[in-house]
Amino acid sequence: MKKTENKHVQLIIIGSGPAGYTAAIYSSRANINTMLITGPKPGGQLIQTNEIENWPGDYKNLSGIKLMDRMLNHVKKFSINIKNDIIKSVNFKKYPFELYGEENIYLSKSIIIATGSSTKLLNIPAENVYMGKGVSTCAICDGFFYKNQNIAVVGGGNSALEETIYLSNIAQKVHLIHRRDQFRADKILINRLYNQIKNNNNIIIHFNSYILDILGNNKIVNKIQIYSKTEKKEYPINVSGLFIAIGHIPNSEIFSKYIDIENNYVKIGYNDLMKTQTSIPGIFAAGDISDNIYRQAITASASGCMAAIDVEKYLSINKYN
Ligand code: FAD
Ligand code: NAP
Protein backbone atom coordinates (compact mmCIF):
# COMPACT_ATOMS: atom_id res chain seq x y z
CA MET A 1 0.00 0.00 0.00
CA LYS A 2 1.50 3.34 -1.08
CA LYS A 3 1.96 6.02 1.54
CA THR A 4 0.99 9.51 0.38
CA GLU A 5 3.38 12.28 1.18
CA ASN A 6 0.72 14.82 2.18
CA LYS A 7 3.03 17.77 2.53
CA HIS A 8 4.41 19.12 -0.71
CA VAL A 9 7.96 20.35 -1.13
CA GLN A 10 9.13 23.29 -3.23
CA LEU A 11 11.29 21.19 -5.54
CA ILE A 12 11.69 17.52 -6.43
CA ILE A 13 14.73 16.48 -8.45
CA ILE A 14 14.24 13.15 -10.22
CA GLY A 15 17.61 11.47 -10.72
CA SER A 16 20.95 11.15 -8.94
CA GLY A 17 23.47 11.55 -11.77
CA PRO A 18 25.72 14.61 -12.20
CA ALA A 19 22.72 16.75 -13.28
CA GLY A 20 20.54 15.78 -10.30
CA TYR A 21 23.28 16.09 -7.67
CA THR A 22 24.46 19.46 -8.98
CA ALA A 23 20.90 20.79 -9.08
CA ALA A 24 20.49 19.66 -5.45
CA ILE A 25 23.62 21.48 -4.32
CA TYR A 26 22.48 24.72 -5.98
CA SER A 27 18.84 24.51 -4.85
CA SER A 28 19.70 23.85 -1.23
CA ARG A 29 22.12 26.77 -1.19
CA ALA A 30 19.22 28.90 -2.50
CA ASN A 31 17.21 27.75 0.53
CA ILE A 32 14.70 25.81 -1.57
CA ASN A 33 13.02 22.97 0.30
CA THR A 34 14.25 20.12 -1.94
CA MET A 35 13.75 16.38 -2.25
CA LEU A 36 15.95 14.22 -4.52
CA ILE A 37 14.72 10.84 -5.77
CA THR A 38 17.65 8.59 -6.68
CA GLY A 39 15.99 6.20 -9.12
CA PRO A 40 17.23 2.75 -10.18
CA LYS A 41 20.86 3.81 -10.65
CA PRO A 42 22.16 5.93 -7.77
CA GLY A 43 25.11 7.92 -9.14
CA GLY A 44 23.91 7.57 -12.74
CA GLN A 45 25.82 6.36 -15.78
CA LEU A 46 29.25 7.43 -14.56
CA ILE A 47 29.41 4.59 -12.05
CA GLN A 48 30.06 2.39 -15.10
CA THR A 49 33.46 3.91 -15.83
CA ASN A 50 36.71 3.33 -13.99
CA GLU A 51 38.60 6.30 -15.41
CA ILE A 52 37.39 9.85 -15.95
CA GLU A 53 39.95 12.06 -17.61
CA ASN A 54 37.87 15.10 -18.47
CA TRP A 55 36.46 16.29 -15.15
CA PRO A 56 38.29 19.60 -14.73
CA GLY A 57 40.67 19.73 -11.80
CA ASP A 58 40.78 15.95 -11.29
CA TYR A 59 43.59 14.75 -13.51
CA LYS A 60 44.56 11.47 -11.92
CA ASN A 61 42.97 8.31 -10.55
CA LEU A 62 39.36 9.45 -10.80
CA SER A 63 36.83 6.63 -11.17
CA GLY A 64 33.13 7.20 -11.81
CA ILE A 65 32.20 5.68 -8.45
CA LYS A 66 34.67 7.98 -6.66
CA LEU A 67 33.36 11.13 -8.38
CA MET A 68 29.69 10.29 -7.78
CA ASP A 69 30.39 9.35 -4.17
CA ARG A 70 32.02 12.72 -3.64
CA MET A 71 29.04 14.46 -5.27
CA LEU A 72 26.67 12.55 -2.97
CA ASN A 73 28.68 13.62 0.09
CA HIS A 74 28.53 17.19 -1.18
CA VAL A 75 24.72 16.93 -1.46
CA LYS A 76 24.51 15.43 2.04
CA LYS A 77 26.33 18.44 3.45
CA PHE A 78 23.08 20.36 2.85
CA SER A 79 19.62 19.53 4.16
CA ILE A 80 18.32 17.60 1.17
CA ASN A 81 15.72 14.90 1.64
CA ILE A 82 17.12 11.95 -0.39
CA LYS A 83 14.62 9.19 -1.23
CA ASN A 84 15.56 5.83 -2.73
CA ASP A 85 12.56 5.39 -4.97
CA ILE A 86 11.78 4.99 -8.67
CA ILE A 87 9.12 7.20 -10.25
CA LYS A 88 6.71 5.07 -12.26
CA SER A 89 4.25 7.74 -13.46
CA VAL A 90 3.42 11.42 -13.02
CA ASN A 91 0.49 13.81 -13.18
CA PHE A 92 1.62 17.22 -14.37
CA LYS A 93 -1.98 18.43 -14.79
CA LYS A 94 -2.35 18.68 -11.01
CA TYR A 95 -0.67 21.44 -8.98
CA PRO A 96 1.35 20.84 -6.88
CA PHE A 97 2.65 18.31 -9.42
CA GLU A 98 2.24 14.65 -8.47
CA LEU A 99 4.81 11.88 -8.79
CA TYR A 100 3.94 8.24 -8.19
CA GLY A 101 6.90 6.19 -7.00
CA GLU A 102 7.25 2.49 -6.25
CA GLU A 103 7.28 3.38 -2.54
CA ASN A 104 5.41 6.68 -2.20
CA ILE A 105 3.46 9.47 -3.81
CA TYR A 106 5.23 12.83 -3.85
CA LEU A 107 3.91 16.38 -4.35
CA SER A 108 5.96 19.36 -5.41
CA LYS A 109 5.60 22.93 -6.66
CA SER A 110 8.42 22.44 -9.17
CA ILE A 111 10.28 19.52 -10.72
CA ILE A 112 13.71 19.03 -12.27
CA ILE A 113 13.76 16.00 -14.55
CA ALA A 114 17.32 14.63 -14.50
CA THR A 115 16.60 11.00 -15.40
CA GLY A 116 19.46 10.71 -17.92
CA SER A 117 19.50 7.76 -20.26
CA SER A 118 19.71 3.97 -20.34
CA THR A 119 21.79 1.68 -22.50
CA LYS A 120 20.45 1.04 -25.99
CA LEU A 121 20.18 -2.61 -27.05
CA LEU A 122 20.69 -4.32 -30.41
CA ASN A 123 17.07 -5.42 -30.71
CA ILE A 124 17.77 -9.05 -31.47
CA PRO A 125 15.73 -11.63 -29.50
CA ALA A 126 18.75 -13.55 -28.15
CA GLU A 127 19.99 -10.46 -26.33
CA ASN A 128 17.16 -10.80 -23.78
CA VAL A 129 17.73 -14.54 -23.43
CA TYR A 130 21.40 -14.02 -22.56
CA MET A 131 21.27 -10.72 -20.65
CA GLY A 132 23.31 -11.40 -17.47
CA LYS A 133 24.27 -14.82 -18.88
CA GLY A 134 26.92 -13.72 -21.36
CA VAL A 135 25.47 -10.41 -22.54
CA SER A 136 26.32 -7.29 -20.55
CA THR A 137 26.08 -3.51 -20.86
CA CYS A 138 28.76 -2.75 -18.25
CA ALA A 139 32.39 -3.82 -18.57
CA ILE A 140 33.35 -2.50 -15.15
CA CYS A 141 30.55 -4.49 -13.49
CA ASP A 142 30.94 -7.78 -15.35
CA GLY A 143 34.38 -7.77 -17.03
CA PHE A 144 35.98 -9.83 -14.25
CA PHE A 145 33.74 -12.84 -15.07
CA TYR A 146 35.49 -13.12 -18.46
CA LYS A 147 39.07 -13.39 -17.22
CA ASN A 148 41.24 -15.07 -19.89
CA GLN A 149 38.23 -15.73 -22.15
CA ASN A 150 37.35 -14.59 -25.68
CA ILE A 151 34.75 -11.84 -25.73
CA ALA A 152 33.27 -9.18 -28.04
CA VAL A 153 32.28 -5.53 -27.73
CA VAL A 154 29.85 -3.87 -30.16
CA GLY A 155 29.86 -0.12 -30.90
CA GLY A 156 32.18 2.58 -32.19
CA GLY A 157 31.75 5.46 -29.74
CA ASN A 158 33.64 6.47 -26.61
CA SER A 159 31.92 3.84 -24.46
CA ALA A 160 32.76 0.95 -26.83
CA LEU A 161 36.42 1.94 -27.12
CA GLU A 162 36.83 2.50 -23.39
CA GLU A 163 35.23 -0.87 -22.67
CA THR A 164 37.39 -2.63 -25.27
CA ILE A 165 40.60 -1.21 -23.79
CA TYR A 166 39.49 -2.03 -20.26
CA LEU A 167 38.43 -5.59 -21.17
CA SER A 168 41.62 -6.29 -23.14
CA ASN A 169 43.49 -6.17 -19.82
CA ILE A 170 41.26 -8.94 -18.41
CA ALA A 171 40.16 -11.15 -21.31
CA GLN A 172 42.30 -13.29 -23.57
CA LYS A 173 40.98 -11.75 -26.80
CA VAL A 174 38.50 -8.91 -27.50
CA HIS A 175 36.67 -8.63 -30.82
CA LEU A 176 35.44 -5.09 -31.43
CA ILE A 177 32.50 -5.05 -33.86
CA HIS A 178 31.56 -1.73 -35.48
CA ARG A 179 29.00 -1.10 -38.19
CA ARG A 180 31.07 1.52 -40.06
CA ASP A 181 34.75 1.82 -41.03
CA GLN A 182 35.35 4.86 -38.81
CA PHE A 183 34.99 5.27 -35.08
CA ARG A 184 32.78 7.96 -33.59
CA ALA A 185 34.96 8.05 -30.43
CA ASP A 186 37.31 10.91 -29.46
CA LYS A 187 40.74 10.91 -31.13
CA ILE A 188 42.52 10.32 -27.82
CA LEU A 189 40.62 7.07 -27.29
CA ILE A 190 41.18 5.91 -30.88
CA ASN A 191 44.93 6.47 -30.43
CA ARG A 192 44.82 4.64 -27.13
CA LEU A 193 43.00 1.71 -28.74
CA TYR A 194 45.68 1.35 -31.43
CA ASN A 195 48.44 1.65 -28.82
CA GLN A 196 46.78 -1.06 -26.79
CA ILE A 197 46.63 -3.26 -29.90
CA LYS A 198 50.36 -2.66 -30.40
CA ASN A 199 51.18 -3.50 -26.79
CA ASN A 200 48.71 -6.28 -25.93
CA ASN A 201 48.05 -7.73 -29.39
CA ASN A 202 44.70 -9.17 -28.25
CA ILE A 203 42.14 -6.80 -29.86
CA ILE A 204 40.66 -7.63 -33.26
CA ILE A 205 38.63 -4.92 -34.99
CA HIS A 206 35.78 -5.94 -37.30
CA PHE A 207 34.78 -2.83 -39.26
CA ASN A 208 31.63 -2.66 -41.41
CA SER A 209 30.15 -5.54 -39.47
CA TYR A 210 26.83 -6.33 -37.79
CA ILE A 211 25.87 -8.84 -35.16
CA LEU A 212 23.13 -11.04 -36.60
CA ASP A 213 22.67 -13.35 -33.61
CA ILE A 214 23.98 -14.45 -30.24
CA LEU A 215 24.23 -18.23 -29.92
CA GLY A 216 24.53 -20.59 -26.97
CA ASN A 217 22.65 -23.22 -24.97
CA ASN A 218 20.19 -20.74 -23.36
CA LYS A 219 22.38 -20.67 -20.23
CA ILE A 220 25.72 -19.48 -21.60
CA VAL A 221 26.87 -17.77 -24.79
CA ASN A 222 29.35 -19.57 -27.01
CA LYS A 223 29.35 -17.58 -30.25
CA ILE A 224 28.06 -14.57 -32.14
CA GLN A 225 27.10 -14.59 -35.79
CA ILE A 226 28.50 -11.65 -37.78
CA TYR A 227 27.75 -10.17 -41.18
CA SER A 228 30.60 -8.36 -42.90
CA LYS A 229 29.46 -5.71 -45.41
CA THR A 230 32.97 -5.57 -46.88
CA GLU A 231 33.27 -9.28 -47.53
CA LYS A 232 29.51 -9.70 -48.06
CA LYS A 233 29.42 -12.84 -45.94
CA GLU A 234 28.31 -14.22 -42.60
CA TYR A 235 30.70 -15.86 -40.16
CA PRO A 236 30.72 -16.97 -36.48
CA ILE A 237 33.12 -15.81 -33.77
CA ASN A 238 33.58 -17.99 -30.68
CA VAL A 239 33.06 -15.83 -27.61
CA SER A 240 31.67 -16.38 -24.13
CA GLY A 241 30.62 -12.77 -23.61
CA LEU A 242 29.23 -9.81 -25.54
CA PHE A 243 29.36 -6.24 -24.23
CA ILE A 244 26.85 -3.89 -25.84
CA ALA A 245 28.01 -0.26 -26.04
CA ILE A 246 25.93 1.26 -28.84
CA GLY A 247 24.68 4.38 -27.11
CA HIS A 248 21.82 5.39 -24.89
CA ILE A 249 18.09 6.19 -24.91
CA PRO A 250 16.76 9.04 -22.74
CA ASN A 251 14.54 7.92 -19.84
CA SER A 252 11.60 10.12 -20.84
CA GLU A 253 8.70 7.73 -21.36
CA ILE A 254 6.87 8.45 -18.08
CA PHE A 255 6.70 12.16 -18.94
CA SER A 256 5.62 11.81 -22.56
CA LYS A 257 1.90 12.29 -21.91
CA TYR A 258 2.46 15.74 -20.45
CA ILE A 259 5.51 17.52 -21.85
CA ASP A 260 6.98 17.98 -25.32
CA ILE A 261 9.49 15.31 -26.28
CA GLU A 262 11.48 14.92 -29.50
CA ASN A 263 13.33 11.69 -30.40
CA ASN A 264 12.94 10.69 -26.74
CA TYR A 265 14.70 13.86 -25.54
CA VAL A 266 12.74 16.23 -23.28
CA LYS A 267 12.46 19.58 -25.05
CA ILE A 268 13.57 22.69 -23.15
CA GLY A 269 13.97 26.35 -24.08
CA TYR A 270 10.34 27.45 -23.71
CA ASN A 271 11.21 30.49 -21.61
CA ASP A 272 13.95 32.99 -22.51
CA LEU A 273 14.56 33.77 -18.85
CA MET A 274 14.61 30.14 -17.72
CA LYS A 275 16.40 28.16 -20.43
CA THR A 276 15.86 24.75 -18.84
CA GLN A 277 12.07 25.08 -18.67
CA THR A 278 10.10 22.38 -20.48
CA SER A 279 6.75 22.93 -22.21
CA ILE A 280 5.11 23.23 -18.75
CA PRO A 281 6.10 26.13 -16.47
CA GLY A 282 7.47 24.76 -13.19
CA ILE A 283 8.86 21.61 -14.85
CA PHE A 284 12.53 21.83 -15.80
CA ALA A 285 14.97 19.34 -17.32
CA ALA A 286 18.74 18.94 -17.03
CA GLY A 287 21.49 16.64 -18.25
CA ASP A 288 21.39 13.86 -20.84
CA ILE A 289 17.58 13.71 -20.75
CA SER A 290 17.43 16.97 -22.71
CA ASP A 291 20.79 16.92 -24.50
CA ASN A 292 21.13 15.08 -27.79
CA ILE A 293 24.52 16.59 -28.59
CA TYR A 294 27.07 16.94 -25.76
CA ARG A 295 26.10 14.26 -23.21
CA GLN A 296 29.08 14.73 -20.89
CA ALA A 297 29.33 14.72 -17.11
CA ILE A 298 30.38 18.37 -17.07
CA THR A 299 27.54 19.50 -19.35
CA ALA A 300 25.02 17.49 -17.28
CA SER A 301 26.30 19.14 -14.09
CA ALA A 302 26.27 22.58 -15.71
CA SER A 303 22.66 22.21 -16.81
CA GLY A 304 21.72 20.92 -13.34
CA CYS A 305 23.08 24.18 -11.98
CA MET A 306 21.07 26.15 -14.58
CA ALA A 307 17.87 24.26 -13.76
CA ALA A 308 18.21 24.98 -10.02
CA ILE A 309 18.74 28.69 -10.74
CA ASP A 310 15.68 28.60 -13.02
CA VAL A 311 13.60 26.93 -10.28
CA GLU A 312 14.63 29.64 -7.83
CA LYS A 313 13.39 32.26 -10.32
CA TYR A 314 10.17 30.33 -11.00
CA LEU A 315 9.36 29.91 -7.29
CA SER A 316 10.00 33.57 -6.50
CA ILE A 317 7.70 34.69 -9.36
CA ASN A 318 5.01 32.15 -8.35
CA LYS A 319 5.35 32.33 -4.58
CA TYR A 320 1.63 32.91 -3.96
CA ASN A 321 0.47 29.95 -6.09
P1 FAD B 1 22.58 9.93 -15.63
O1 FAD B 1 23.99 9.87 -15.21
O2 FAD B 1 22.10 8.99 -16.69
O3 FAD B 1 21.67 9.74 -14.33
C1 FAD B 1 20.28 9.58 -14.44
C2 FAD B 1 19.69 9.36 -13.06
O4 FAD B 1 18.26 9.32 -13.18
C3 FAD B 1 20.10 8.06 -12.39
O5 FAD B 1 20.47 8.32 -11.06
C4 FAD B 1 18.84 7.20 -12.42
O6 FAD B 1 18.73 6.37 -11.25
C5 FAD B 1 17.77 8.29 -12.38
N1 FAD B 1 16.48 7.83 -12.93
C6 FAD B 1 16.22 7.29 -14.15
N2 FAD B 1 14.93 6.97 -14.27
C7 FAD B 1 14.33 7.32 -13.09
C8 FAD B 1 13.01 7.22 -12.57
N3 FAD B 1 12.01 6.69 -13.29
N4 FAD B 1 12.77 7.66 -11.31
C9 FAD B 1 13.77 8.21 -10.57
N5 FAD B 1 15.02 8.34 -11.02
C10 FAD B 1 15.32 7.89 -12.25
N6 FAD B 1 31.09 11.61 -19.50
C11 FAD B 1 32.20 12.33 -19.26
O7 FAD B 1 32.15 13.56 -19.21
N7 FAD B 1 33.39 11.70 -19.01
C12 FAD B 1 33.53 10.37 -19.01
O8 FAD B 1 34.64 9.84 -18.80
C13 FAD B 1 32.37 9.58 -19.28
N8 FAD B 1 32.44 8.23 -19.29
C14 FAD B 1 31.31 7.50 -19.53
C15 FAD B 1 31.44 6.11 -19.54
C16 FAD B 1 30.33 5.33 -19.78
C17 FAD B 1 30.46 3.83 -19.78
C18 FAD B 1 29.07 5.95 -20.00
C19 FAD B 1 27.84 5.10 -20.21
C20 FAD B 1 28.95 7.33 -20.01
C21 FAD B 1 30.08 8.12 -19.78
N9 FAD B 1 30.01 9.52 -19.80
C22 FAD B 1 31.14 10.26 -19.53
C23 FAD B 1 28.75 10.25 -20.04
C24 FAD B 1 28.15 10.67 -18.66
O9 FAD B 1 28.09 9.54 -17.82
C25 FAD B 1 26.74 11.26 -18.84
O10 FAD B 1 26.79 12.34 -19.74
C26 FAD B 1 26.18 11.76 -17.50
O11 FAD B 1 26.19 10.72 -16.53
C27 FAD B 1 24.75 12.29 -17.65
O12 FAD B 1 24.32 12.70 -16.38
P2 FAD B 1 22.77 12.83 -16.01
O13 FAD B 1 22.74 13.27 -14.58
O14 FAD B 1 22.10 13.65 -17.02
O15 FAD B 1 22.15 11.37 -16.15
P1 NAP C 1 27.46 7.13 -28.99
O1 NAP C 1 28.48 8.21 -28.97
O2 NAP C 1 26.06 7.47 -29.37
O3 NAP C 1 28.01 5.96 -29.93
C1 NAP C 1 27.24 4.83 -30.18
C2 NAP C 1 28.01 3.92 -31.13
O4 NAP C 1 27.26 2.72 -31.33
C3 NAP C 1 28.24 4.55 -32.50
O5 NAP C 1 29.50 4.22 -32.98
C4 NAP C 1 27.12 3.93 -33.34
O6 NAP C 1 27.50 3.74 -34.68
C5 NAP C 1 26.95 2.57 -32.71
N1 NAP C 1 25.58 2.08 -32.83
C6 NAP C 1 24.44 2.76 -32.54
N2 NAP C 1 23.35 1.96 -32.75
C7 NAP C 1 23.83 0.78 -33.19
C8 NAP C 1 23.21 -0.44 -33.56
N3 NAP C 1 21.88 -0.60 -33.52
N4 NAP C 1 24.00 -1.45 -33.96
C9 NAP C 1 25.34 -1.32 -34.00
N5 NAP C 1 26.00 -0.19 -33.64
C10 NAP C 1 25.24 0.85 -33.25
O7 NAP C 1 27.33 6.42 -27.53
P2 NAP C 1 28.38 6.20 -26.34
O8 NAP C 1 29.68 5.73 -26.86
O9 NAP C 1 27.68 5.39 -25.32
O10 NAP C 1 28.56 7.68 -25.76
C11 NAP C 1 27.41 8.40 -25.27
C12 NAP C 1 27.84 9.78 -24.76
O11 NAP C 1 28.64 9.61 -23.58
C13 NAP C 1 28.69 10.53 -25.78
O12 NAP C 1 28.36 11.89 -25.75
C14 NAP C 1 30.10 10.30 -25.29
O13 NAP C 1 30.98 11.35 -25.65
C15 NAP C 1 29.90 10.23 -23.77
N6 NAP C 1 31.00 9.42 -23.21
C16 NAP C 1 32.16 10.08 -22.94
C17 NAP C 1 33.25 9.36 -22.50
C18 NAP C 1 34.53 10.09 -22.22
O14 NAP C 1 34.53 11.32 -22.26
N7 NAP C 1 35.61 9.42 -21.92
C19 NAP C 1 33.16 7.98 -22.37
C20 NAP C 1 31.98 7.33 -22.69
C21 NAP C 1 30.89 8.07 -23.13
P3 NAP C 1 27.72 4.99 -35.68
O15 NAP C 1 29.05 5.56 -35.30
O16 NAP C 1 27.67 4.35 -37.01
O17 NAP C 1 26.57 5.92 -35.42
Side-chain angles (χ1 to χ4, degrees):
M1 177 75 167
K2 268 184 192 153
K3 197 177 112 211
T4 312
E5 299 266 325
N6 289 318
K7 231 174 110 225
H8 67 257
V9 291
Q10 286 181 296
L11 168 63
I12 290 180
I13 298 164
I14 317 174
S16 57
Y21 281 162
T22 308
I25 292 164
Y26 273 79
S27 70
S28 61
R29 292 192 75 249
N31 233 356
I32 296 169
N33 176 9
T34 305
M35 179 187 284
L36 181 141
I37 297 172
T38 61
K41 204 177 208 176
Q45 289 169 63
L46 272 189
I47 57 167
Q48 282 183 231
T49 186
N50 71 333
E51 197 179 4
I52 301 175
E53 288 185 315
N54 49 13
W55 185 258
D58 263 310
Y59 57 92
K60 40 180 184 190
N61 303 333
L62 182 66
S63 72
I65 290 178
K66 198 160 151 189
L67 178 62
M68 295 321 292
D69 214 39
R70 276 174 21 198
M71 280 197 206
L72 173 61
N73 286 334
H74 199 157
V75 170
K76 283 181 174 165
K77 181 183 162 190
F78 303 106
S79 53
I80 299 277
N81 187 356
I82 301 175
K83 294 268 183 198
N84 292 315
D85 203 349
I86 299 172
I87 301 304
K88 291 297 191 187
S89 61
V90 300
N91 188 340
F92 290 163
K93 286 209 167 122
K94 293 214 176 153
Y95 196 80
F97 303 115
E98 292 192 0
L99 307 179
Y100 310 102
E102 273 182 358
E103 303 290 328
N104 272 319
I105 296 172
Y106 308 95
L107 312 181
S108 181
K109 285 189 144 188
S110 64
I111 307 279
I112 295 177
I113 300 171
T115 47
S117 53
S118 298
T119 319
K120 190 172 145 189
L121 295 176
L122 289 165
N123 247 337
I124 49 179
E127 148 187 84
N128 295 322
V129 175
Y130 293 109
M131 188 58 71
K133 296 187 254 174
V135 174
S136 169
T137 56
C138 177
I140 305 276
C141 324
D142 300 330
F144 183 74
F145 300 121
Y146 300 91
K147 203 166 180 330
N148 298 328
Q149 298 178 33
N150 288 350
I151 56 172
V153 174
V154 56
N158 281 334
S159 296
L161 266 61
E162 272 190 353
E163 301 219 328
T164 301
I165 296 165
Y166 175 80
L167 290 166
S168 70
N169 291 322
I170 299 172
Q172 188 170 75
K173 205 177 269 179
V174 183
H175 294 268
L176 174 57
I177 322 274
H178 182 37
R179 64 183 179 184
R180 288 190 295 134
D181 63 357
Q182 273 183 346
F183 291 121
R184 177 178 296 279
D186 295 344
K187 292 280 172 303
I188 189 168
L189 279 173
I190 298 173
N191 290 342
R192 199 167 296 155
L193 176 78
Y194 284 108
N195 274 337
Q196 185 83 346
I197 292 174
K198 225 189 275 167
N199 296 335
N200 275 24
N201 197 23
N202 68 344
I203 299 171
I204 299 152
I205 302 174
H206 303 253
F207 280 124
N208 288 321
S209 298
Y210 291 94
I211 296 182
L212 295 175
D213 208 354
I214 305 161
L215 305 161
N217 64 2
N218 285 331
K219 291 199 181 107
I220 52 165
V221 169
N222 50 40
K223 56 174 84 105
I224 50 176
Q225 189 71 9
I226 304 290
Y227 176 74
S228 161
K229 279 194 291 179
T230 318
E231 294 172 45
K232 295 195 174 35
K233 68 165 197 194
E234 277 188 32
Y235 61 99
I237 307 177
N238 291 333
V239 291
S240 52
L242 170 66
F243 288 82
I244 300 174
I246 59 168
H248 294 83
I249 300 179
N251 298 314
S252 60
E253 208 186 318
I254 53 172
F255 312 110
S256 60
K257 231 165 83 185
Y258 298 96
I259 53 175
D260 290 353
I261 284 174
E262 196 173 85
N263 293 331
N264 299 311
Y265 289 92
V266 170
K267 285 180 80 178
I268 54 172
Y270 287 82
N271 186 322
D272 282 345
L273 296 176
M274 300 174 223
K275 297 276 188 202
T276 63
Q277 190 195 289
T278 66
S279 51
I280 299 182
I283 313 270
F284 301 84
D288 280 15
I289 188 70
S290 57
D291 175 5
N292 66 341
I293 301 174
Y294 305 105
R295 296 174 299 163
Q296 302 295 307
I298 189 83
T299 50
S301 271
S303 66
C305 153
M306 288 162 66
I309 292 173
D310 289 346
V311 165
E312 206 271 329
K313 214 175 276 171
Y314 169 81
L315 290 173
S316 63
I317 295 169
N318 295 284
K319 64 180 154 209
Y320 301 112
N321 286 354

